[in-house]
Amino acid sequence: MNMRKMGKWGLALLAASALSVAFANAQEKVAKIGVLAPMTGGAAADGNEMVNGARLAVEEINAAGGIAGYTFEVVVGDTQDQAADTVTSAFERLAGDRDINVMMTGYASGSNFEIELMAEQEMPYIISANAAQTRDIIAPNPDDFPTVWSISPSYDAYETAMVPVIQQLLDGGALELPNKKVALISSDNPYSKTIMEGLQKNFEDAGWEVTSADLLPFGEINDWRAFLAGVRQAAPSVIINTDYLPGNAATFMTQFLEQPTKSLVFIQYAPSVPEFLELTKDRATGVVYNMLGGVLDTPQNPRAAEVVEKYKAKYGSAPGVYGPALYEQVYLYADALAKVGDSTDRLAIGKAIGETEKQIAAGVLRFDPQTHLAVQGEDAIPIQFFQIWDGKRELFYPARYATEEFQTPPWMK
Amino acid sequence: MDHSTHEAPLLEVRNIERRFGALVAVNDVSFAVPAGQVFGIAGPNGSGKSTLFNVMTGIPFGPSAGKVLLEGREIQSLRAHEISRAGIARTFQKDAEFGTLSAFENAYAGAVYCAGLSGAQAREEAHKALDDVGLSNDRRDKAAGDLTVFERKQLMIASAIAGRPRILLLDEPAAGLTRPEVSDLAELIRTVNGRGVTILLIEHVLPLLLSVSQHLLILNHGAVIASGKPAEVVRDPQVVEAYLGKREAAL
Amino acid sequence: MTMDMVSAILVSGLVLGSVYALMASGLSLVWTTLGIFNFAHGSLMALGAYFAWTMSDAAGLNLWLGAGVAVAVAGMVGVGILIERTVIRPFYDDKDILLITVMTTLAVMIFLEKGIQLLWGARLKQLEPLAPGRVNLLGTTISAQETLIVVLAPLLLGGLWVFLRYSNIGRGIRAVGQNPAAAKLIGVDVSKLFILTFALSAALAGLTGILLGSVRFITPTFGAEPLVKALIIVIFGGLGSLSGTIAAAYIIGVVEAVLIFFVGIYWAPSMLFALLIAVLMLRPQGLFGKSVR
Amino acid sequence: MPASFNLKTLAIAAVLILGLLVPVVIEDTYIRHLFIIAFIYAIVAASWDLSLGYAGVFNFGHVAFFGVGVYTTALCAKLLGIDPWIAMLLGGAAASAAAAIVALPVVRLQGIYVVLVTFAFSQLVLQFVISQSQITGGTQGLVRVPTIELFGYNFLRDYKFGYYYVAFALLVISTLCLRYITRTDFGLSIRALRDNEDYSLARGIPIGLQRLKVLMASAFFAGIAGGFFAIYLRVASPEVFNFSTMALILSMVLVGGTSSIYGPVIAALVLTFISEGLANVNGLSEGRFMLVAVAMVLVLLFFPKGLISIIDRWPRGRGARRPD
């Protein structure tokens, strides 16, 4: 082929590709999804899972031909260590992109202050943690936040469900406890502290004796022995640790088992994180935890298993909470976009999201118009109680979803 | 000891003592310096000369016991910078300048913080002090750390006298100087003294000390072993032994 | 107070003190000899743990951890030399070396932390314990690994002391620490000793990380807390004395254990800081330090 | 040199005009936001240099002063309903008060001890803020901080146009004040004290008092910057005390050049934009910190006087060190 001929071919090729691009543009519009996630720093593991979940859904949707003429694209805004300036920088960077008309996150900051930034720009924003902060900001004036929605339900059930569940186990004979004493411990963060204080009240109201309710500094805790020494003295039949960091929880379990007492051990949230099981291995068998807005993996909700399997197939490891959460968030947005048809009509999209009623991995999702949180309840997003047994999480409450019966933990036998 | 001075002393040290744990660095030292004198202090290494200056000025520590009087007023319990402001200016053997400040600023700092001047007055005083020591005009904007050794000696005296002190404590000013520079320094000391500044001079270089001092005090092991007219003191056998060492004294 | 509590406090204090002593002695060594404060010491500790984790994980056998430790420590020596060469050596003649090396070692810290996160990810990891099981020590049950730390720390530190005291290199290091100019005059190869000191300190940090990595969880930032404690200890002990540092490490370990038991874990770290400030106001040269002047 | 003086004046005027024109030319809210953040950090870095570079006090608690400003302003504006402008001033005052407390031990200590005590102090402040969660919001922080208003101008929906000018004005004012302070007799005395403590005493400079003053002055600007930070972002959260915040701002001071006010200001702008720019490059989100770390070491190696020395063409370069 001589040069001239090659030039001709090249020109033709160029023209063809230009045409095809123009054609594609006419047919496909791009709706970019801004994902706020901590991609660097201590919470990077969570952040990666959020982005993975969102990408999984986006690829599925694009492979199926997009929604309402749009294909999706994920744009990540790194919130780093969740400091206010970095979160705002990430937000502004995403908000500056005219193709981004929705944002989502597992959590972006400790305070959820970015909700106000979203509301100012009428940006549809879906969030899946820090429900208490979300409620505090939105509940006073829900109409000011027409586009912000939380798929995580109110955390009240963390405080109220515990006593009835234990009572039910006692009544059913699945559990025998020598006394009605409970020891509580929490780290100083609003999530854990609020739950501990709520639990204390609920236990006391139900006639239990709270032998201790200790507060530890927030962060890495390597020594639970002081607390455990006190526990051995008071010998309560229930021990509840509401600190949610998986590393701390694993240390707690290890040190508890050095000289265990005959107590039911409950740990908040941490056992749901994949590495907790990796780190504790068989030491975790018998531990109880509960979950609001987590994956409802039960035969009654096949959606959950489907999402988890897809995630595993693509990324090679089981997801925690945020992978499935962001996956579902993308679909919420896709549904709303299908309904509205125009990605730039943010208010309409926000309204459509708020009207959602569908089965998701965590249960049945619909939103409370007063708080913009997902509705909590057995027929909505249920609270789930799990017990860890041989490296597996067995759901034992609510009974209608249960996969396994509660068993007496090995150290209590 | 020589108590024959009739004038009221400008500076008087009474029974001063400084201990570091079991070590007595300055042991019951007393002397008086009349106004206008150049008062020399000598002694072998480690005899407590610099420690004496330290306790007199409170930099970095005051005496364990004893009194320092400036014009009859006790100053040993004042804070270090207050002693400087009261009229005792001192120099140090090493690092006797603000290295990154210009030569002018070095002198100016003395005028502002010791003499309590400000603005144009302080600038004038600083330039006058630099004129007095003979640091040439074109060197005054240089960083003090970049000056020659002798210029830095000039500067340390200039910054001291810019603070209008009553008495100037010079700690081995001749260290590191060449022989001709030492005689220039002697001239400088006489000039400063000629303008009414009393001088207390610690010096290792004996010829310098002998040529400018009107009175000489010898320390050994933290105590005074001789005090009097320079020419007499250097003949004292105890001094010869202490200062030159036993071996040389025997020669 | 019951005997149980006394023994629990003592054991807890011993475990903490041993870890702190290992950590702080490496820091103190560099400070005494080179006159710089190595803020990357904590990340070096993390790096050592990750090296060992990779060794044991790649081999997949506990058996290999022993060899893994050796390789990891050797790796740390290399890293130590590299750091000394690149970010410390160029500044030896600088008047502001203290401040500049604070900055450069901070940069190394950032570099290592982020690098570790990039290579190994942010998820928690844990080393297989060198010594599995539990041991009853003075009536308090702790893991065998912690017992190993309690036993190994004095041995290692004793070894270090003997090395510094009786070997030629050790004597050289001490000479340089006391007076670099004089050491140079009597023919000590100061430059070589600086590298050796840094390598030794990095190896100590790595070893601490490996020992601690099976008791605590390894994260890119898991050296941060021990580093802060080590800083406090080096100050408490008085800068420039290894034995002072080691003594201070055990004292702080026990003090912390006592504080945790009686004041609670919440305020224990703050009280340690307050104690540090108070001690410095009374004795600016540290608990066992000699006056500078 | 009059020629260079004129050049300098011209350069400063040009920078001022450019600074005023930025929001007119750049409409992108994100870029404006980065400028605002860079300006805030510039104030913190430059004021830090007053105590660190000029006075030679190895103050590692400066970010804590910034944090004290953040929280004081947020609390005053939100809980006490004080006008946010006044609250910002109170933030500065509270930071100065905190500095006075730190100064108690610091005036008696030297070198690395000062580093550790001030570092310990910032940890204590953090612990205090977290422990008082019913007031400060603890680890969750404090949201919905009221924002400023000026003659009825609403700062919220103008794409950060107004905030930009407030930040710019604060930067210019603080830079002028800091420049002024360093040129007074007081400024001379703190440099003297950095060069040689004993010699300063011998020249009548009261070390303790000057250190106290310089810490309070440098904390004041950090506190005001913190106040604006809280007002601008409308949130106060404990991450401001993070080690990474300290490392970032400290690198601005040292990369920019100690003992210069403009140096840290320039470095704050450069580092903020480079770091954000790299964040947007795929695969560099984590690596960018490593790059910044390497850059930091390189600058210290080749421009030990900081970036400012490239601009200043410091005549003495590395030789400016004091011969021993």
Side-chain angles (χ1 to χ4, degrees):
Chain A
M1 214 186 280
N2 63 31
M3 283 303 289
R4 179 173 298 217
K5 232 181 184 172
M6 214 163 95
K8 246 185 189 168
W9 271 103
L11 216 73
L13 216 75
L14 209 78
S17 62
L19 252 173
S20 68
V21 168
F23 185 69
N25 275 354
Q27 195 196 34
E28 290 175 13
K29 296 167 281 183
V30 176
K32 291 186 185 169
I33 296 172
V35 175
L36 292 177
M39 301 304 288
T40 52
D46 282 347
N48 281 308
E49 200 183 303
M50 294 176 201
V51 174
N52 284 347
R55 290 221 164 101
L56 181 63
V58 162
E59 280 168 27
E60 265 177 35
I61 292 169
N62 287 348
I67 295 281
Y70 288 92
T71 51
F72 286 172
E73 188 186 322
V74 170
V75 184
V76 180
D78 183 5
T79 58
Q80 299 177 30
D81 57 355
Q82 290 120 262
D85 58 328
T86 50
V87 174
T88 308
S89 299
F91 166 81
E92 292 295 350
R93 188 164 73 79
L94 297 183
D97 187 335
R98 286 179 196 285
D99 291 333
I100 293 184
N101 290 297
V102 65
M103 289 196 206
M104 45 189 73
T105 188
Y107 54 88
S109 65
S111 59
N112 282 12
F113 76 100
E114 76 281 359
I115 285 177
E116 294 207 61
L117 304 177
M118 301 289 173
E120 268 160 33
Q121 304 211 359
E122 295 173 345
M123 178 71 77
Y125 185 49
I126 315 173
I127 192 166
S128 53
N130 297 346
Q133 287 91 314
T134 308
R135 180 170 63 184
D136 286 351
I137 293 173
I138 292 180
N141 301 296
D143 294 343
D144 291 353
F145 304 91
T147 58
V148 180
W149 301 96
S150 161
I151 67 166
S152 124
S154 156
Y155 290 158
D156 292 348
Y158 280 139
E159 299 162 30
T160 55
M162 183 84 71
V163 178
V165 168
I166 291 176
Q167 197 55 50
Q168 201 176 311
L169 290 177
L170 288 171
D171 295 346
L175 178 67
E176 277 179 39
L177 296 176
N179 57 37
K180 283 187 98 177
K181 286 191 202 168
V182 56
L184 302 165
I185 190 158
S186 164
S187 77
D188 195 357
N189 68 82
Y191 169 85
S192 305
K193 203 174 147 191
T194 313
I195 294 173
M196 182 178 78
E197 286 165 358
L199 285 174
Q200 183 174 4
K201 188 177 172 301
N202 277 286
F203 272 107
E204 279 168 354
D205 288 352
W208 285 65
E209 183 195 339
V210 176
T211 59
S212 60
D214 293 342
L215 201 59
L216 299 182
F218 179 66
E220 192 186 331
I221 296 165
N222 299 300
D223 198 343
W224 299 86
R225 292 190 175 106
F227 167 74
L228 291 169
V231 163
R232 270 175 226 123
Q233 302 247 312
S237 60
V238 178
I239 299 171
I240 295 176
N241 181 357
T242 63
D243 181 48
Y244 66 84
L245 299 177
N248 286 353
T251 314
F252 177 81
M253 240 5 252
T254 308
Q255 295 182 353
F256 170 75
L257 288 176
E258 283 168 4
Q259 272 170 289
T261 53
K262 287 193 187 270
S263 323
L264 180 70
V265 175
F266 175 94
I267 299 176
Q268 187 75 37
Y269 177 79
S272 75
V273 179
E275 64 243 51
F276 178 82
L277 289 183
E278 283 164 35
L279 295 171
T280 53
K281 307 208 173 68
D282 55 329
R283 278 170 289 168
T285 293
V287 171
V288 176
Y289 75 98
N290 63 10
M291 204 61 215
L292 270 166
V295 178
L296 181 58
D297 197 357
T298 167
Q300 280 77 23
N301 184 22
R303 171 83 174 173
E306 181 197 329
V307 174
V308 170
E309 280 316 311
K310 278 181 191 159
Y311 189 99
K312 262 194 208 160
K314 185 160 165 63
Y315 300 108
S317 62
V321 178
Y322 297 109
L326 270 281
Y327 177 89
E328 293 292 9
Q329 290 184 10
V330 170
Y331 270 101
L332 285 189
Y333 174 62
D335 293 348
L337 185 58
K339 210 159 149 190
V340 175
D342 177 3
S343 70
T344 59
D345 192 349
R346 294 178 176 181
L347 275 177
I349 298 267
K351 187 161 169 283
I353 294 172
E355 287 162 357
T356 299
E357 169 128 30
K358 74 181 282 201
Q359 185 78 37
I360 63 167
V364 178
L365 177 68
R366 57 178 187 277
F367 293 104
D368 175 357
Q370 291 310 307
T371 59
H372 289 205
L373 303 182
V375 173
Q376 199 268 318
E378 243 179 73
D379 53 353
I381 308 279
I383 185 161
Q384 312 171 53
F385 278 75
F386 297 87
Q387 184 175 35
I388 300 212
W389 211 267
D390 293 336
K392 278 197 188 132
R393 308 178 170 91
E394 305 291 1
L395 177 61
F396 70 88
Y397 180 92
R400 64 194 258 202
Y401 298 122
T403 55
E404 205 64 57
E405 290 287 303
F406 174 85
Q407 302 177 57
T408 306
W411 63 84
M412 289 179 78
K413 282 176 186 159
Chain B
M1 237 191 275
D2 181 6
H3 285 296
S4 63
T5 324
H6 291 294
E7 314 158 50
L10 175 69
L11 180 82
E12 199 184 344
V13 169
R14 277 191 205 152
N15 313 103
I16 226 162
E17 211 174 277
R18 175 71 210 188
R19 297 170 181 280
F20 299 99
L23 177 83
V24 186
V26 174
N27 187 7
D28 195 26
V29 170
S30 301
F31 60 87
V33 184
Q37 220 176 38
V38 175
F39 188 103
I41 298 178
N45 274 333
S47 60
K49 303 185 300 282
S50 287
T51 311
L52 181 63
F53 270 18
N54 289 346
V55 297
M56 285 166 68
T57 55
I59 305 171
F61 40 69
S64 312
K67 287 176 181 172
V68 182
L69 296 102
L70 185 66
E71 294 176 311
R73 183 175 147 232
E74 280 188 33
I75 58 164
Q76 74 276 357
S77 51
L78 292 181
R79 282 183 292 170
H81 69 272
E82 291 169 338
I83 295 177
S84 307
R85 287 175 180 184
I88 299 187
R90 77 171 281 195
T91 65
F92 297 85
Q93 279 181 49
K94 273 192 234 163
D95 295 336
E97 76 277 324
F98 302 124
T100 67
L101 268 54
S102 74
F104 168 74
E105 285 171 324
N106 267 266
Y108 180 81
V112 170
Y113 284 93
C114 264
L117 303 172
S118 62
Q121 255 187 317
R123 274 193 292 279
E124 197 182 311
E125 188 72 26
H127 277 301
K128 205 174 110 231
L130 289 164
D131 290 342
D132 283 352
V133 300
L135 187 72
S136 65
N137 250 316
D138 57 324
R139 303 293 284 169
R140 292 181 190 179
D141 286 333
K142 292 270 177 221
D146 292 349
L147 297 177
T148 66
V149 177
F150 186 73
E151 282 171 333
R152 275 186 272 156
K153 302 285 181 191
Q154 289 178 307
L155 180 60
M156 91 191 174
I157 293 175
S159 78
I161 59 176
R164 294 181 175 168
R166 305 300 318 274
I167 181 161
L168 174 59
L169 276 51
L170 293 173
D171 195 349
E172 299 205 10
L177 294 184
T178 62
R179 202 173 284 255
E181 283 172 342
V182 170
S183 55
D184 287 345
L185 179 72
E187 199 45 52
L188 183 53
I189 290 172
R190 279 190 211 100
T191 314
V192 172
N193 183 235
R195 311 221 162 157
V197 180
T198 309
I199 289 174
L200 204 56
L201 173 67
I202 290 180
E203 192 44 78
H204 225 74
V205 181
L206 268 187
L208 171 68
L209 199 58
L210 295 176
S211 74
V212 297
S213 306
Q214 283 117 48
H215 188 101
L216 190 58
L217 179 135
I218 310 288
L219 285 180
N220 197 17
H221 302 300
V224 178
I225 54 169
S227 178
K229 294 223 155 40
E232 293 162 17
V233 168
V234 288
R235 282 197 293 274
D236 189 321
Q238 219 187 331
V239 172
V240 175
E241 187 189 309
Y243 202 76
L244 299 174
K246 276 187 182 158
R247 194 170 46 85
E248 286 179 51
L251 286 174
Chain C
M1 205 160 81
T2 62
M3 272 317 288
D4 267 12
M5 280 169 81
V6 175
S7 94
I9 292 174
L10 265 178
V11 168
S12 189
L14 264 179
V15 173
L16 289 172
S18 304
V19 172
Y20 295 163
L22 283 173
M23 187 73 184
S25 56
L27 200 64
S28 164
L29 196 60
V30 165
W31 169 260
T32 356
T33 316
L34 285 79
I36 66 153
F37 232 84
N38 179 15
F39 277 85
H41 202 68
S43 352
L44 286 174
M45 179 181 141
L47 192 63
Y50 276 97
F51 275 167
W53 185 85
T54 305
M55 292 299 144
S56 68
D57 196 57
L61 284 167
N62 292 354
L63 204 69
W64 284 97
L65 193 57
V69 170
V71 176
V73 169
M76 292 312 297
V77 168
V79 172
I81 292 173
L82 196 68
I83 294 175
E84 197 271 352
R85 282 262 142 189
T86 48
V87 309
I88 295 169
R89 171 146 310 238
F91 303 107
Y92 279 137
D93 299 330
D94 207 300
K95 164 176 161 283
D96 296 324
I97 179 165
L98 185 61
L99 190 58
I100 289 179
T101 51
V102 162
M103 201 57 234
T104 54
T105 55
L106 270 177
V108 171
M109 187 195 92
I110 296 169
F111 188 84
L112 288 180
E113 259 180 25
K114 298 297 174 184
I116 286 172
Q117 191 162 332
L118 219 54
L119 279 176
W120 283 283
R123 288 219 184 265
L124 303 178
K125 295 191 174 14
Q126 190 162 39
L127 290 171
E128 286 296 325
L130 292 170
R134 287 193 277 276
V135 169
N136 191 306
L137 201 66
L138 307 168
T140 301
T141 308
I142 59 169
S143 67
Q145 178 70 15
E146 284 170 296
T147 318
L148 185 70
I149 294 178
V150 171
V151 175
L152 216 53
L155 287 179
L156 278 169
L157 295 170
L160 181 67
W161 187 81
V162 170
F163 170 75
L164 288 178
R165 186 124 220 130
Y166 297 108
S167 78
N168 278 335
I169 298 172
R171 274 195 290 251
I173 290 177
R174 285 193 304 138
V176 172
Q178 278 153 14
N179 191 340
K184 208 173 235 164
L185 279 181
I186 58 165
V188 177
D189 186 345
V190 174
S191 147
K192 201 172 88 192
L193 284 178
F194 278 176
I195 297 183
L196 266 170
T197 309
F198 213 87
L200 190 61
S201 154
L204 268 174
L207 208 56
T208 318
I210 295 168
L211 286 174
L212 206 56
S214 56
V215 181
R216 298 184 182 178
F217 297 103
I218 315 172
T219 64
T221 55
F222 109 117
E225 188 251 19
L227 173 75
V228 171
K229 288 282 161 55
L231 291 178
I232 296 181
I233 284 153
V234 175
I235 298 296
F236 250 90
L239 292 171
S241 115
L242 187 66
S243 45
T245 304
I246 294 169
Y250 283 98
I251 291 176
I252 295 279
V254 173
V255 167
E256 194 180 347
V258 169
L259 283 175
I260 288 174
F261 267 75
F262 293 105
V263 199
I265 206 173
Y266 197 98
W267 287 105
S270 305
M271 295 200 50
L272 270 187
F273 279 127
L275 201 62
L276 164 79
I277 295 177
V279 165
L280 282 183
M281 284 184 78
L282 296 173
R283 275 184 74 85
Q285 69 276 28
L287 226 44
F288 305 108
K290 292 192 189 74
S291 178
V292 188
R293 296 184 209 274
Chain D
M1 277 176 280
S4 79
F5 175 77
N6 283 338
L7 207 67
K8 209 171 168 185
T9 322
L10 264 174
I12 290 171
V15 168
L16 273 177
I17 291 168
L18 272 178
L20 285 171
L21 284 177
V22 163
V24 180
V25 180
I26 296 171
E27 289 180 355
D28 189 305
T29 319
Y30 169 56
I31 303 290
R32 286 182 185 168
H33 163 77
L34 290 185
F35 268 109
I36 295 168
I37 292 294
F39 289 165
I40 293 172
Y41 282 152
I43 298 172
V44 183
S47 61
W48 194 347
D49 198 29
L50 184 66
S51 55
L52 187 75
Y54 283 90
V57 179
F58 287 4
N59 158 27
F60 269 51
H62 200 68
V63 171
F65 300 149
F66 176 69
V68 167
V70 168
Y71 271 94
T72 307
T73 305
L75 288 170
C76 285
K78 190 181 173 188
L79 297 186
L80 304 179
I82 294 171
D83 182 273
W85 290 103
I86 311 282
M88 270 159 66
L89 274 179
L90 291 176
S96 280
I101 296 170
V102 185
L104 279 180
V106 161
V107 295
R108 302 160 128 248
L109 300 171
Q110 283 181 318
I112 198 76
Y113 291 107
V114 177
V115 173
L116 288 146
V117 166
T118 50
F119 181 74
F121 169 77
S122 64
Q123 294 298 305
L124 284 175
V125 174
L126 170 63
Q127 186 78 22
F128 181 75
V129 165
I130 291 179
S131 69
Q132 302 303 308
S133 53
Q134 56 287 42
I135 303 168
T136 60
T139 46
Q140 180 181 332
L142 205 66
V143 289
R144 314 200 76 172
V145 175
T147 193
I148 40 174
E149 198 182 81
L150 195 63
F151 309 119
Y153 182 82
N154 180 1
F155 284 85
L156 282 188
R157 285 167 205 265
D158 64 351
Y159 305 99
K160 305 196 186 292
F161 191 78
Y163 280 129
Y164 177 93
Y165 283 110
V166 176
F168 188 64
L170 282 178
L171 176 62
V172 170
I173 294 169
S174 80
T175 306
L176 285 176
C177 289
L178 289 167
R179 291 286 295 173
Y180 173 75
I181 289 172
T182 58
R183 285 160 179 224
T184 57
D185 291 349
F186 171 72
L188 180 74
S189 74
I190 59 171
R191 283 188 291 139
L193 155 69
R194 170 198 64 195
D195 279 2
N196 197 329
E197 279 183 28
D198 284 349
Y199 194 59
S200 317
L201 284 173
R203 293 295 163 268
I205 299 172
I207 292 188
L209 187 66
Q210 304 303 82
R211 280 200 177 156
L212 173 75
K213 282 186 192 164
V214 81
L215 276 172
M216 287 180 71
S218 98
F220 181 75
F221 295 103
I224 296 256
F228 180 66
F229 188 81
I231 295 293
Y232 168 62
L233 296 170
R234 284 177 282 157
V235 59
S237 58
E239 288 90 7
V240 291
F241 295 101
N242 274 1
F243 194 75
S244 57
T245 316
M246 191 200 87
L248 175 73
I249 301 180
L250 184 62
S251 63
M252 289 168 181
V253 177
L254 287 155
V255 167
T258 47
S259 306
S260 77
I261 296 298
Y262 297 136
V265 171
I266 295 166
L269 281 158
V270 171
L271 282 178
T272 305
F273 278 92
I274 286 186
S275 161
E276 271 296 315
L278 291 174
N280 301 344
V281 178
N282 266 343
L284 268 186
S285 54
E286 193 84 44
R288 74 180 189 275
F289 296 106
M290 299 171 76
L291 283 178
V292 170
V294 171
M296 242 152 70
V297 173
L298 288 179
V299 167
L300 288 169
L301 268 175
F302 295 107
F303 305 103
K305 292 263 164 209
L307 288 176
I308 191 74
S309 63
I310 309 172
I311 297 156
D312 267 6
R313 298 230 189 113
W314 202 264
R316 279 167 279 133
R318 285 189 86 156
R321 264 178 277 126
R322 211 146 42 101
D324 290 322

